[in-house]
Structures are given as C-alpha cells and as structure tokens.
Amino acid sequence: MKYILLLTMLLTFDVSAQSDLSFLKKDNPDELAYWAWASPECPISREDVKAIVTGVLIRSRIKPAESSWVRDPIYLNVSVLCAKVEGNNPVFNASINFGRATPYPSVIFDSIGHQQLGIGDVSFIKATIKNGVEKAVTDYIKVNFIDK
C-alpha cells in the first residue's frame, strides 16, 4: 500500500474542468493581477514563484500587476505547498487558479483550477508550476482576446 501511495505521488496530474470562463473577461485585459506564495518547506521561494508567473505573463504580452490583486475584479492565484520527505525530494501541490478578492465574499474559482501534484527536485517543481500557469493564462487569453 505504501508503494502505491508513493507511485501515485510520483505522477503529476492536471485537473481542469472546461466550464463557462466568462468570469475571466476584463475591461483592461492587457494587465493581470496575481498573488504568488510558496510554503517554507518548499525548495523554491515565493520570489521563484513570482518570477515564473511574471515570465509567463510577459511572454504572453500581459502586464503583471502583483500589488493590485486585492482591487482587481480577477487575479491569478498561484500557491505551492510542500511536504518534506526524508531522504527524498519533497511532495508538492501547486494550486493555480483565478480568484476575486472584492467584492466580499472573496472567491477562488477552484472548478477551473490547474492543480499540480507531484514529487520532484527544484527544476521539476518549477517546470510544473510554469506549465500550470501557462494553461491558466491560455484560458485567460482565450476569453479576453480570442473569443470576443
């Protein structure tokens, strides 16, 4: 049983439900607010996560706006939670989804989130986060620039 659980953790998966994404529509789609976080147990820092998010946004020609996530009608939420495994790489969960801080109540749109669960070294964790952020930004671009 222990080995089945470990094998399951080795797999990285993506949970994404393609539902109505019209809530991603913005008046100023050239700028996207974001919030990034990494738990202290992670081998990567919050700054590493921020660099990944801003890199994907800039390559997509979208201006990153970290400080305005509280005020914006929609923001990209990227959080990475890690658990150390003795003698091995950490287990991690990268939660990449969209949210809205105001008006109250605040909302995280989990149903279209790009969840990534895995176990791996720093480069694998970074690549997994980047892949999830790219998928989320693709959804955002489709709604705001392509499906007009």
Side-chain angles (χ1 to χ4, degrees), residues 10-140:
L10 289 171
L11 301 174
T12 299
F13 63 90
D14 180 18
V15 178
S16 176
Q18 290 300 330
S19 58
D20 180 21
L21 300 176
S22 61
F23 68 91
L24 293 176
K25 191 82 170 150
K26 285 182 59 182
D27 292 335
N28 62 337
D30 293 328
E31 180 175 291
L32 180 61
Y34 73 92
W35 184 81
W37 179 79
S39 70
E41 299 81 19
C42 288
I44 63 170
S45 67
R46 179 174 186 264
E47 295 303 315
D48 293 329
V49 178
K50 285 171 52 175
I52 293 167
V53 173
T54 58
V56 171
L57 290 174
I58 290 168
R59 281 188 297 282
S60 300
R61 297 180 186 249
I62 298 171
K63 181 181 177 186
E66 179 194 8
S67 61
S68 67
W69 69 271
V70 174
R71 296 181 309 276
D72 276 15
I74 195 79
Y75 70 93
L76 181 61
N77 182 66
V78 181
S79 60
V80 185
L81 181 64
C82 298
K84 292 184 180 179
V85 178
E86 191 173 320
N88 206 341
N89 291 314
V91 174
F92 68 93
N93 178 35
S95 179
I96 301 153
N97 41 40
F98 290 93
R100 181 196 76 212
T102 56
Y104 184 81
S106 298
V107 175
I108 294 292
F109 298 100
D110 251 354
S111 64
I112 59 100
H114 298 283
Q115 297 285 85
Q116 305 284 333
L117 177 66
I119 185 168
D121 63 6
V122 173
S123 62
F124 180 71
I125 295 171
K126 286 181 178 182
T128 302
I129 295 166
K130 181 178 178 233
N131 182 272
V133 171
E134 287 172 342
K135 288 178 181 179
V137 170
T138 297
D139 288 343
Y140 178 81

